[in-house]
Amino acid sequence: MLAAIRKHLARFIIGLVVVVMFLAHAVGLWPLPLLSNLEAIVYDTRLRLTMPGTVDPRIVILDIDEKSLQEREQGGEGRWPWPRDRLALLLDKLFDRHEVAIVGFDVVFAERDESSGIRVLDRVGEKELRDVPQYQAVLRQLRPELEYDGILARKMRGRPVVLGYSFSSDDPARAPRKGLLPPPVFTRDAFAADPVRATTWSGYTSNLEILQQSAAGAGHFNPWTDDDGIVRRVPMLAEYGGAYYEPLSLAMVRVLLGSPPLKPVRPDPDYSSENYQALEWLEVGPLRIPLDATASALVPYRGRQGSFRYISVVDVMNDRAASADLKGKIVLVGTTAPGLLDLRATPVDPVYPGVEVHANMISGMLDGSIKQRPPYVVGAEFILLLAAGLAMALLLPLLNPLASTLTTVAVLAAVLATNVLVYQRADLVLPLASGLVLILVLFTLNMAYGFFVEARGMRQITGLFGQYVPPELVDEMARNPERFNMAPREQELTVLFSDVRGFTTISESLTPQDLSAYVNEYLTRMSLVIRERHRGTLDKYIGDAIMAFWGAPVADPQHARNAVLAALDMQSEARALNETFKARDWPTFRIGIGVNSGIMRVGDMGSKIRKAYTVMGDAVNIASRLEGVTKQYGADIMVGEGTRRLLTGFVLREIDRVRVKGKDEPIAIYQPLGLEGQVDPSRLDEVDLWNQALRLYRQQDWDRAELQLLNLRKIAPDNEVYELFIERIAHLRAHPPAADWDGAWTFETK
C-alpha cells in the first residue's frame, strides 16, 4: 500500500489541490463564475422537471391587457394610467358585486391624478376668478367629485386592499424618494444583535400619502435578479434606511390572515453555535417562509405563464366577468401588456409577467411549498465536496481504468440520488453542479495523468534521479542512460550536513502558516545553492536539516571542492535570506554545516516498503558529527580530514583535534575561510596567531597560550573559539591532563 501511495503521490496531490479549489469556491473564498452559472442552469432544470404544472384556482390576475388599453369607444379604458375614479369603481365592483377576498395592486400610484381638471380650476380660482364668490362656492361644492385620488382613497378604506411600490438601487445622491412608504415590518433595532444580510436599497417610488394611509397594507414588488438576468428569488426583507420592508406577496398574505406580525426565526440554540445564528425563517400566523442567506425566498413557480386564471380588467369594468370566477378569490391587478414593461426573464419562461411572480409567491406561502435554501447549505455543500472529493482523489489513483470508471459512475449516482431525495422529500435545495463537476474533473485528470504522465515516466530512466540532481546532470544521464543505475556501490564522495541552530525557538515564535513559508523558503534557497550552483545531489530533508552529497550518480573529480564552495555559498545565502526575513518581521537564523569526504556506499537503499537514493558509511557519520560540533565552536562550517586532504586553493585553519561520539580515534577539524587570494590579509594574520596559540595549547604551555588567546580575543571579540579555549585552559589548569594526552577534546554528544 505504501509503495502504491508513493507511486501515485503526484496524482494524490493534484486531486487534493482540485478538491481545495472547489472547497474554496463553496465557502466564497475563491468564487468560480463557471460553477455559479452551471449551478443556476442545474437549478432551473430541476425546477422545470418537478414543478406541478397546475392552475391555482385561489388566485386570479386582473390583467391590464391590450384589450383593456383600447380607447373607450372600442370597449377599453384607454391608455394607462387610468383616472382614479375608474379604479375606485373597479374596487366597488370587485368587493360589492363579486365579493373578492383581497385585492393587491402590482402598480404604483406615485403621481397625483389631475385628469378631472381640478388643477386647472384651482389655478383659475387663484388668479382670474379669485374675487368671484360664486365661482369659489361652486368649486368647493364640486371638489369632492373632482378629487379622484380622494375618491379612490375613500373606496379603499376598510377594505383589504394592498398597494405596491418599488425600491431603487441608484446612486444614493440621485435615488428617488417619492411618495409615502408603509410602516416597516422590522425597525432598525430589530436585528441589532444579529444583523441580517438583506438586500439594501437607496431610494423608493411609493404611493401618494392619501392612498397609502387608506390601504390595508403595502409591499414592494422588487424581485432579486441574478447575474444572468433571471428572477429566481424575491427579497422577503428589503432594507432601506436601516428598516426592513416586506414584498407585495407577503403583505397580501398577512392582510389575508388578519395582519399578524412577522416573527423572525433563527436556529434552535440546542442545534446551533455562536458562529451560526443566521435568519432561516419568517413566521406569519401559522405559515413559515424559508429564507436564504440574503433574507430572500425562492419563487415556487407552478409552471409556465398561465398557471393562474387571467381576467381582463375591462371585462370586470363592463360587467362581463362571472362572479363565480371571482368570489372569494385573491385578486392581483397587474399587466401583461408589453408596453407597460412588467415582463421578466424566469427559469420557466424568458418573457414572464411580473404579476405572476407575486401570484406564485402567494400560492407557495399558502401551500408551504417554497423550497428551502438556508444559509447552512454552504456547510452542506462543503461536506459533500469534501466527502466525494476526498474519496475520488484518494481512490482513483489506485484503481485501473475500468474500476475508476465504475467508481465514478457510482459516486455520481449517489450524489444525484441524495440531491433529488432531499429536494423532493425535505424541500431542501442543495448545490449540485459543483459536486458533479468536481467528480468529473477528478476522473478526467486521473485518466489523463495516467495516460500522459505515468506512462511516459516509466519509459525514462533518468526520471529516477530527477528529484536528486540538477537538471543539467539529468540531461547528461539521459544521453547515456546505460551508464547509470541506482544499484549500491562503494565510492569516494563528499557529503554535507546543514542544520538551523535553535530552530525550536524559531518555530515557537511563528504561526503555523508563517513557519511553513519560513521553512519552505529556507530549504528552497539552500537547495538551489546545492543543486543549481554546485551540481550537488540532494539526499533528504530532515525537518530543517539538509543532507547532500557530491560525486554520484554522475562522477565529479572536484566533489570535495564543490561541496566546500556550496557550504560557503550557503552561508552567504543565509545572510541574504536573513535580510528578507527581517523585512517580514520574522526571526533570523544561523546554520551550522559539516562536510567530510571518504569511501561511502551510495545507491538505492532502504526496505521493501520504502527506498531512497542515499549514502551510508563512516565518513557520512563523521560529517553529521562535524555539523553538530559547529555550535560548540561558534563556527559556521567544519570540514573533516578527508575533505582537507582533497582540497587545494583554499584557506583553512585547523580548529581542534576531537573525538566525536562513536569514534575512538581523534580527527582534526578545519574551518574554511575562503579561496586563496580572496581572504583579507588581516584575517590571514589572525590565522597565524591562532596557529601559534594552538601549538602552545597542545604543548600545555598554558600561560603563553592564554596570553595569545587574550590578544586574539581583542582582535576578534565575537569569535567564540578563543573564549572556548580560554575556558578550557582554566579547566586543564585545575584538572591537568594525563601524561599521554594527545591534545584532542572528547565530545560525548552528537
Side-chain angles (χ1 to χ4, degrees):
M1 178 61 75
L2 291 176
I5 291 174
R6 184 170 67 253
K7 177 182 177 182
H8 301 298
L9 182 60
R11 292 168 70 178
F12 289 137
I13 293 174
I14 292 172
L16 293 175
V17 168
V18 172
V19 173
V20 169
M21 289 173 54
F22 276 73
L23 293 177
H25 164 79
V27 299
L29 293 179
W30 189 15
L32 300 173
L34 176 61
L35 285 182
S36 300
N37 294 338
L38 287 175
E39 189 61 58
I41 293 172
V42 169
Y43 172 81
D44 294 349
T45 303
R46 183 170 47 191
L47 174 66
R48 288 193 294 270
L49 291 174
T50 57
M51 59 189 183
T54 57
V55 175
D56 188 337
R58 298 167 299 183
I59 301 172
V60 172
I61 295 174
L62 286 193
D63 191 6
I64 306 172
D65 53 9
E66 292 290 349
K67 182 171 71 171
S68 300
L69 296 178
Q70 293 175 354
E71 297 301 324
R72 299 198 68 176
E73 58 268 18
Q74 297 174 304
E77 288 291 327
R79 63 186 180 88
W80 186 265
W82 297 337
R84 304 278 160 79
D85 65 330
R86 300 297 294 171
L87 295 177
L89 176 61
L90 175 64
L91 289 181
D92 279 343
K93 289 180 178 292
L94 288 172
F95 285 106
D96 297 340
R97 177 183 176 87
H98 298 293
E99 299 179 2
V100 300
I102 186 173
V103 174
F105 281 95
D106 186 27
V107 293
V108 60
F109 305 113
E111 304 291 342
R112 298 180 67 180
D113 184 354
E114 300 180 357
S115 61
S116 66
I118 184 64
R119 299 297 165 248
V120 175
L121 296 176
D122 281 340
R123 283 194 294 272
V124 171
E126 292 170 358
K127 295 180 180 179
E128 291 85 350
L129 301 179
R130 180 178 57 187
D131 298 324
V132 179
Q134 295 88 341
Y135 180 85
Q136 298 295 337
V138 172
L139 183 58
R140 283 193 299 273
Q141 184 177 358
L142 292 176
R143 183 176 298 280
E145 300 177 14
L146 299 177
E147 286 280 8
Y148 289 170
D149 291 327
I151 294 174
L152 179 58
R154 289 194 297 273
K155 296 297 184 180
M156 290 168 53
R157 290 190 191 107
R159 287 171 166 172
V161 177
V162 180
L163 300 181
Y165 61 92
S166 65
F167 281 116
S168 168
S169 58
D170 297 337
D171 178 16
R174 299 192 301 271
R177 294 171 181 82
K178 200 171 192 179
L180 176 68
L181 283 176
V185 290
F186 296 113
T187 63
R188 180 188 300 269
D189 299 327
F191 303 111
D194 296 298
V196 173
R197 210 183 86 194
T199 56
T200 302
W201 307 88
S202 56
Y204 61 88
T205 299
S206 191
N207 298 281
L208 295 173
E209 181 176 350
I210 188 174
L211 298 178
Q212 182 60 62
Q213 291 178 341
S214 300
H220 70 81
F221 41 71
N222 294 78
W224 177 289
T225 304
D226 288 333
D227 292 338
D228 56 2
I230 304 298
V231 174
R232 299 180 179 91
R233 294 176 285 171
V234 170
M236 290 293 103
L237 295 178
E239 188 269 330
Y240 171 76
Y244 299 87
Y245 298 83
E246 62 190 332
L248 175 63
S249 53
L250 179 54
M252 291 183 66
V253 169
R254 283 213 304 137
V255 170
L256 196 63
L257 296 176
S259 299
L262 276 182
K263 179 183 176 183
V265 180
R266 296 185 183 273
D268 190 325
D270 293 336
Y271 301 99
S272 63
S273 66
E274 294 182 0
N275 296 325
Y276 179 74
Q277 287 293 319
L279 189 61
E280 291 188 356
W281 303 84
L282 288 177
E283 281 189 357
V284 50
L287 307 180
R288 299 187 85 187
I289 304 168
L291 305 180
D292 65 8
T294 62
S296 300
L298 294 167
V299 181
Y301 291 102
R302 299 183 64 87
R304 303 190 65 180
Q305 181 182 355
S307 297
F308 304 89
R309 182 178 180 84
Y310 279 77
I311 297 177
S312 178
V313 171
V314 72
D315 287 340
V316 176
M317 299 289 288
N318 294 328
D319 296 330
R320 293 194 295 265
S323 293
D325 294 335
L326 288 167
K327 185 174 182 180
K329 306 297 184 183
I330 300 168
V331 174
L332 275 163
V333 181
T335 180
T336 61
L340 297 186
L341 303 178
D342 190 31
L343 300 175
R344 315 281 183 179
T346 69
V348 297
D349 255 325
V351 179
Y352 195 83
V355 64
E356 200 161 335
V357 174
H358 308 308
N360 278 288
M361 289 301 301
I362 294 171
S363 177
M365 292 180 205
L366 296 177
D367 291 339
S369 61
I370 298 177
K371 299 293 184 182
Q372 306 173 50
R373 189 158 62 184
Y376 65 73
V377 298
V378 173
E381 180 181 17
F382 186 91
I383 293 171
L384 168 69
L385 293 175
L386 184 63
L390 286 180
M392 297 285 290
L394 299 178
L395 192 59
L396 290 186
L398 304 176
L399 303 177
N400 60 45
L402 177 60
S404 294
T405 302
L406 294 176
T407 299
T408 301
V409 171
V411 174
L412 279 172
V415 170
L416 278 169
T418 301
N419 195 279
V420 171
L421 185 65
V422 297
Y423 185 84
Q424 292 290 83
R425 298 293 179 86
D427 286 333
L428 185 62
V429 180
L430 291 180
L432 179 59
S434 55
L436 298 181
V437 173
L438 173 61
I439 293 167
L440 294 174
V441 166
L442 289 173
F443 174 75
T444 304
L445 284 175
N446 273 279
M447 294 298 102
Y449 189 95
F451 183 79
F452 291 108
V453 179
E454 290 188 348
R456 183 183 63 186
M458 292 173 64
R459 296 191 299 266
Q460 296 179 343
I461 186 173
T462 55
L464 297 171
F465 295 95
Q467 60 180 313
Y468 302 109
V469 298
E472 62 270 19
L473 295 186
V474 174
D475 293 339
E476 181 180 335
M477 296 167 69
R479 288 192 293 269
N480 301 284
E482 67 281 354
R483 293 175 49 197
F484 303 97
N485 60 65
M486 303 183 79
R489 66 183 186 276
E490 280 195 345
Q491 187 176 339
E492 186 181 65
L493 307 172
T494 299
V495 65
L496 175 150
F497 285 84
S498 74
D499 192 40
V500 176
R501 295 176 182 168
F503 186 74
T504 300
T505 302
I506 292 173
S507 64
E508 290 173 351
S509 65
L510 295 170
T511 65
Q513 293 79 11
D514 286 345
L515 178 60
S516 175
Y518 189 105
V519 173
N520 289 346
E521 187 158 358
Y522 163 76
L523 291 176
T524 299
R525 297 275 283 269
M526 297 300 133
S527 300
L528 289 174
V529 170
I530 293 169
R531 279 183 39 149
E532 312 301 327
R533 297 189 202 171
H534 299 288
R535 296 166 60 93
T537 299
L538 282 172
D539 188 310
K540 62 176 66 74
Y541 301 130
I542 310 167
D544 58 287
I546 300 173
M547 178 181 173
F549 55 91
W550 281 257
V554 179
D556 180 9
Q558 299 293 320
H559 56 82
R561 176 185 179 85
N562 287 333
V564 174
L565 287 175
L568 291 169
D569 271 3
M570 288 172 70
Q571 294 294 353
S572 298
E573 191 71 18
R575 289 189 286 273
L577 188 55
N578 272 327
E579 294 302 317
T580 301
F581 286 175
K582 278 188 205 174
R584 298 180 189 173
D585 201 25
W586 287 352
T588 57
F589 65 94
R590 290 182 63 187
I591 57 173
I593 301 174
V595 180
N596 192 44
S597 305
I599 300 299
M600 310 172 192
R601 289 181 176 86
V602 60
D604 192 21
M605 291 179 276
S607 67
K608 292 182 179 179
I609 298 174
R610 187 178 187 277
K611 292 185 178 182
Y613 188 75
T614 187
V615 291
M616 294 182 180
D618 190 56
V620 178
N621 296 334
I622 290 175
S624 176
R625 301 294 186 269
L626 291 179
E627 180 278 318
V629 302
T630 55
K631 60 177 70 74
Q632 306 294 332
Y633 294 91
D636 294 329
I637 306 170
M638 288 290 187
V639 303
E641 289 179 342
T643 302
R644 173 69 182 86
R645 175 176 51 82
L646 299 173
L647 288 178
T648 57
F650 281 83
V651 177
L652 297 98
R653 70 167 178 175
E654 183 182 2
I655 294 296
D656 203 357
R657 296 180 73 234
V658 299
R659 289 184 181 86
V660 296
K661 185 174 179 61
K663 295 287 292 182
D664 294 328
E665 293 297 322
I667 59 172
I669 57 177
Y670 300 83
Q671 180 183 21
L673 303 180
L675 292 169
E676 291 178 355
Q678 297 181 7
V679 180
D680 189 272
S682 62
R683 192 81 188 276
L684 296 176
D685 293 338
E686 182 184 343
V687 171
D688 290 337
L689 292 174
W690 162 253
N691 289 336
Q692 295 174 28
L694 189 60
R695 186 173 60 255
L696 293 169
Y697 167 81
R698 289 173 177 167
Q699 294 171 356
Q700 301 186 41
D701 190 345
W702 310 128
D703 293 336
R704 292 173 63 194
E706 184 179 51
L707 180 61
Q708 191 80 316
L709 288 168
L710 291 171
N711 290 331
L712 284 167
R713 190 171 64 178
K714 291 178 181 178
I715 296 172
D718 295 329
N719 195 312
E720 298 176 25
V721 173
Y722 306 143
E723 188 64 33
L724 173 66
F725 273 81
I726 290 171
E727 293 174 2
R728 277 195 195 171
I729 289 172
H731 174 79
L732 292 170
R733 277 198 184 109
H735 305 86
D740 60 347
W741 183 59
D742 57 3
W745 190 265
T746 301
F747 286 98
E748 297 298 332
T749 62
K750 295 183 179 182

